[in-house]
Amino acid sequence: FILMLSLTLGTMITITSNHWVTAWAGLEINTLAIIPLISKSHHPRAIEAATKYFLTQATASALMLFSSMTNAWSSGQWDITQLTNPPSCLLLTAAIAIKLGLTPFHFWFPEVLQGSSLTTALLLSTAMKFPPTTILLLTSHSLNPTLLSTMAIMSIALGGWMGLNQTQTRKILAFSSISHLGWMTTIITYNPKLTLLTFYLYSLMTTSIFLSMNSTNTLKLSTLMTSWTKAPMLNTTLMLTLLSLAGLPPLTGFLPKWLIIQELTKQEMTTTATIISMLSLLGLFFYLRLTYCSTITLPPNSSNKMKQWSIKKPVNTLTPTL
Amino acid sequence: FSWSSLGLAFHRTHLISSLLCLESIILSIYIALSIWPIKNQTSATLMQILILAFSACEASAGLAILIASTQTHVSDHLRNLNLLQC
């Protein structure tokens, strides 16, 4: 319906733009379209999430417009691929970091995901990340690599650490997406195609996890433990996709990590590579905890009752085998 | 512009003040963009109208969110927005 259409319209506008104002317009359309989606249920949590989301995204859009304007003041033209003014580059990276949820601007992201329903959270974490990453890709040759890599390392660290004490699955997925975004931004100045690859694979895996959690309606870790009674096949595929998100070798999620580490060592940044691979161990801990909770534990009264759910998700059996 | 962004970053109790600061950010961008053609002898009026239209939409969406938050939470003080514990 109309909001989805306007979301796709906004994304298309931002992707196919070579002028800053069109990119900004597409981002604003996206923000405007998602706000009613977040606050559809008149629950206080949803409205609060909508306010936080709106404030952060609006400031980021305004910052982006301002940086493009200072660039236009100094260089005289509004092309996206030509950023000549260093302070406007800095402002632009800050604005996109706010939009994506990179550290140190990640504070809105877990709460917003927590306050929205599972499908809108899915949209927020995959589809809404796509236009700012395209803008980053378009401007990646003129951005500051040290700033980007420090933000990336910090976001991987924070995503791993803050996800350790969480019991709500949406917050856990928020922190996992923060760390994945960190992985994506480490490589963006050296090989932007790897960033795209990471983004595609990450969005695939997160969509499958969100959809499988949507069909079993697991919002907490305790609900995860009893989900094997409802649809056992879905539970096994959920476990496989979770492990793939963590980046374990035989599954697909290992591929972007491997390529990124390879590219970093080619660029003589071996300390960065070792640091981020150490920090992904933190994320591995809570992914493993999620899989452990979903598959191995038994509920208190172990009854293998099959409850009926009207939503069938056969797509998820394919995604771990990709 | 920098005054408004500082005001937005340090808003204390009311949500309305943050919305005001947002609007003043966009207004400062608009004024700066209006000065630019006088300096460089080019015309940028289409961009101006687009920016005005989108900022008006954003402001109205912000006001709608403000109304919704005062309906569900009691007032619009920022200390009330702590339902989603971290």
Side-chain angles (χ1 to χ4, degrees), chain A residues 12-314:
Chain A
M12 286 300 140
I13 287 177
T14 320
I15 293 173
T16 64
S17 67
N18 47 8
H19 193 277
W20 276 116
V21 177
T22 52
W24 177 77
L27 285 168
E28 297 258 295
I29 291 176
N30 268 342
T31 323
L32 283 175
I34 281 212
I35 294 285
L37 275 180
I38 297 179
S39 56
K40 230 198 309 189
S41 69
H42 281 271
H43 202 279
R45 282 203 298 264
I47 308 284
E48 177 184 336
T51 51
K52 285 181 179 157
Y53 186 71
F54 170 72
L55 276 176
T56 53
Q57 298 276 318
T59 52
S61 312
L63 264 179
M64 200 181 297
L65 197 60
F66 182 65
S67 71
S68 62
M69 210 183 58
T70 50
N71 188 39
W73 271 92
S74 67
S75 68
Q77 39 99 16
W78 288 78
D79 211 8
I80 284 192
T81 55
Q82 324 214 1
L83 276 178
T84 53
N85 201 10
S88 65
C89 285
L90 195 73
L91 268 180
L92 181 71
T93 44
I96 296 188
I98 298 176
K99 272 210 177 285
L100 283 177
L102 289 175
T103 330
F105 306 113
H106 67 285
F107 297 103
W108 56 275
F109 194 51
E111 301 170 8
V112 169
L113 267 195
Q114 177 67 25
S116 49
S117 63
L118 275 170
T119 43
T120 49
L122 163 72
L123 267 180
L124 265 179
S125 57
T126 55
M128 290 295 296
K129 308 278 187 223
F130 194 45
T133 45
T134 53
I135 294 181
L136 260 186
L137 283 170
L138 285 171
T139 63
S140 60
H141 55 88
S142 53
L143 293 174
N144 197 3
T146 50
L147 175 70
L148 277 175
S149 44
T150 45
M151 278 204 295
I153 293 176
M154 276 200 297
S155 51
I156 297 173
L158 262 170
W161 257 315
M162 284 168 68
L164 289 177
N165 199 16
Q166 306 292 333
T167 54
Q168 308 273 340
T169 45
R170 287 173 285 183
K171 279 218 174 105
I172 289 178
L173 284 168
F175 291 117
S176 83
S177 73
I178 291 175
S179 50
H180 277 271
L181 276 172
W183 276 96
M184 280 185 237
T185 48
T186 53
I187 205 66
I188 201 161
T189 49
Y190 306 115
N191 193 2
K193 291 184 189 165
L194 276 181
T195 317
L196 262 183
L197 173 75
T198 328
F199 184 77
Y200 291 147
L201 285 176
Y202 154 72
S203 53
L204 257 182
M205 295 186 287
T206 8
T207 43
S208 60
I209 287 186
F210 265 112
L211 288 174
S212 44
M213 286 210 286
N214 202 14
S215 57
T216 54
N217 214 8
T218 61
L219 301 172
K220 298 186 280 208
L221 270 186
S222 45
T223 333
L224 251 188
M225 291 182 199
T226 63
S227 64
W228 63 275
T229 57
K230 296 167 193 166
M233 195 59 202
L234 191 60
N235 217 357
T236 52
T237 54
L238 175 66
M239 176 188 91
L240 282 177
T241 39
L242 271 173
L243 290 177
S244 159
L245 248 191
L248 287 183
L251 300 168
T252 334
F254 182 61
L255 180 70
K257 292 201 167 125
W258 182 24
L259 288 173
I260 285 175
I261 289 177
Q262 198 177 10
E263 191 65 35
L264 279 179
T265 50
K266 264 194 244 170
Q267 304 279 339
E268 302 293 323
M269 293 183 59
T270 44
T271 51
T272 323
T274 44
I275 290 173
I276 49 181
S277 47
M278 287 295 159
L279 288 172
S280 63
L281 280 176
L282 287 168
L284 185 67
F285 171 70
F286 60 79
Y287 289 128
L288 276 178
R289 187 166 71 177
L290 277 176
T291 52
Y292 171 74
C293 289
S294 63
T295 53
I296 305 180
T297 58
L298 291 172
N301 42 352
S302 65
S303 58
N304 200 353
K305 210 172 19 166
M306 307 282 285
K307 292 185 198 167
Q308 294 285 21
W309 286 102
S310 57
I311 313 170
K312 296 280 180 197
K313 303 286 176 203

Side-chain angles (χ1 to χ4, degrees), chain B residues 50-63:
Chain B
L50 253 179
I51 287 176
L52 265 183
F54 274 112
S55 62
C57 291
E58 286 283 323
S60 54
L63 280 173

Side-chain angles (χ1 to χ4, degrees), chain B residues 68-86:
Chain B
S69 66
T70 36
Q71 270 182 351
T72 53
H73 305 260
V74 178
S75 64
D76 75 330
H77 287 257
L78 281 173
R79 271 177 245 132
N80 280 349
L81 298 176
N82 54 0
L83 293 176
L84 308 167
Q85 78 252 18
C86 216

